[in-house]
Amino acid sequence: MISRRTIAAAAAGLLLGTLALAGCAGDSGSGEAGEVTGTLNFYTDKAAWKPDFESLNEVSGDAVDITLKTTGYSDANQYDAFIKQSFRTDKSPGLFTWHTGDSLKQLVDEGLVAETTDIWSQAVDEGWVSEDLRDSYTFDGKQYCVPMNIAYWIMFYNKAAFADNGVEVPTTWDELNTAAETLKEGGVTPYYQTSVLFTFQWFQHLVASTDPDLYAGLTTGDVKYTDPEIVDIMNVWLDEQKAGWFSDAGSTTDPAVGLKQGDYAMINFGTFFAGNLEGAGMTTDDYGMFAIPAVNDSLDTTPVAVESGPICTAENSKQRDLGLAYAEWWMSPDAQTAWNDAHGDVAFNPKATVSDPALAEIGEQIAGDGYSLYDRFFEAMPTEIVTTAIEQFGAFNANPGDPMPFLEKIQATADKYWAEQE
Amino acid sequence: MAHQKTPYQWSARGFVAPGVILVAVLLYLPLLWTVFLSFTKYNGLGSPTWIGLDNYVEIFTDGDFVGSALNTVLWVIGTLIIPVGIGLAIALLTWNLGGGIWLRLPFLIPYALSGIGVGVVWSFILSSGGALDQALAAFGITDPPRWLLDAPLNTIVMIIASSWQGVGVNALLFTIGLQAIPKEPLEAARIDGAGGPRLFTSILWPMLRPLTAVVVGLSIVASLKTFDIVWGMTKGGPGTVSETLALTMYKETFVNSDYGLGSAIAVFLTVITLIASVLYLRQQLSPKKEM
């Protein structure tokens, strides 16, 4: 016969086990459906920007009575996995940063993010955002998420390196090449490059500004990476590598520090890189910015890569309404002016005030006539192709040579991806 | 006839239950889920789609996967020769030596560091224009090897970096093994005139065998799952030339969001690790082979 003591011990054991498992599931979260004021749980993979986000709490508290409780991840892959898993729980975020392009499409296809069509309609009507930018957030005629920021991918340069070698800011492709030759002859490496992660930008510029249709064809699979036009472009890049125009791809020196030290004279990066340069101790007296001239000077406009990072609300979040209320405020000029004061970059809202005069100037220049925007390679291509391409461009930077083996590997991934879409 | 359960057995089961539940839920269920996912196409959202053996076919026909597997083999061989070999040498040289613990201690300290931390530190040393290149330049060597850019040199230097971390713990384990050897056979061997290499080959090495089996077994398992130090130093690059199987698994799962393919690699790696461990330990620790 089983004693009471035995039953009690067994029950205690099961209870402990259940409690342990319940502990793993986490708490039920805060906030109720329908609430549009209060504390909003916000998740981001931009951990370094957490103070910038939280510094907006005073402004958003006064304006819409919402403050952010920010959780920042510093590992992007870990963050993406966390967000994906959160949709299965009742802890899906009221607000989170994500990526445009294929990554956002995946969430939309599964019905995981809240629609923001009304917010976009109002913002476009108010002139707070361009129609062009809306396209990156549109799926089947509806909008999802709102832009957290935009960044133009341009060229930063070391003013002293240019001045010492008598180089002026180039306005044509030929002038850029002459500048690179002059700098090289003066003992300064013209361009920065790496073998890890940010390996795609020179390829993206060479393709998009040689023939925008060619770049568009790559994003849809209509153009192959092994097509002769792409091989020709890679050979242009190879010639520049052979001329010694690029820095050592194996260096781990902070790129901003490298530009400050004069390890290279120019670096192709997003406008947010201005913050890194200031962090490295440079001011706009030390560095300048220019839109990279098009390779093909017969183009009507100079193509400039644009990156836009979204902030989204999970459809099944308990804080869905709170998140959407914050997103609506986020689009406003007041919010974007405050964000620009806190963070510093170009602004997607033309009515916002950009605090850095140099960024304001280049933002206005690119938003004006003579320039056209295209999606950055990272967002424009499907994730698997991006991963392989970044690796292969990194390998090319490390060991420049016949481009075909690199391009064939990228195309193999592209073939597999597009075959699965049929 | 089944045994009547005693009250003691019932209460014992009650106490064991939480542990069993935790192990089942946190270890075996994820394992079964991983095996299931390996037969699917799944991006981490929605529901997995059953595709049979396609993921396994893909990993065996993909040249990059073969490269990862070869690098992993290099890691297994390298970490057997360097940290296990040097660990044994340090244990032997400091054994029975006054203050031997103080000689072993410096080798043991790196073991306390995380693999990713070791990777970051060594990438500062070995990157182009890094600490080692600057030191070599001081000796007039201005065109040093490209430590982390050329294969298989990058894998070899990463094995050395990993060895720097792993030597100490191997030395410690071998020291424990040496101290456990009874004094009588050693004294008898010494009286018979055995010393130096003869003492090692005829007495110490055979008597260390059970411990060597464990150290080598642990080393094989650890090297098969090498990830953090490579991720910290090269991210598997340039391109994919320094990837290991564990890194390829991580990349497919969390960078490409191809959870099915990542799971297939995880299952393959688990099977290989289990086979290697069981075969090796059975062969080494079988009672017939004992002294």
Side-chain angles (χ1 to χ4, degrees), chain B residues 146-204:
Chain B
R146 305 189 324 151
W147 308 108
L148 297 178
L149 293 182
D150 291 333
L153 179 65
N154 45 15
T155 295
I156 291 167
V157 295
M158 285 192 285
I159 291 170
I160 292 169
S162 171
S163 302
W164 171 79
Q165 185 184 28
V167 159
V169 72
N170 289 324
L172 187 72
L173 289 170
F174 278 121
T175 303
I176 293 166
L178 288 169
Q179 285 170 347
I181 294 174
K183 288 197 173 93
E184 293 79 5
L186 286 175
E187 284 172 5
R190 285 197 179 107
I191 288 166
D192 287 345
R198 183 68 200 270
L199 184 70
F200 174 74
T201 51
S202 299
I203 304 292
L204 294 179

Side-chain angles (χ1 to χ4, degrees), chain B residues 254-270:
Chain B
F254 296 110
V255 180
N256 280 341
S257 291
D258 193 342
Y259 286 66
L261 189 59
S263 296
I265 299 171
V267 170
F268 173 76
L269 193 52
T270 306

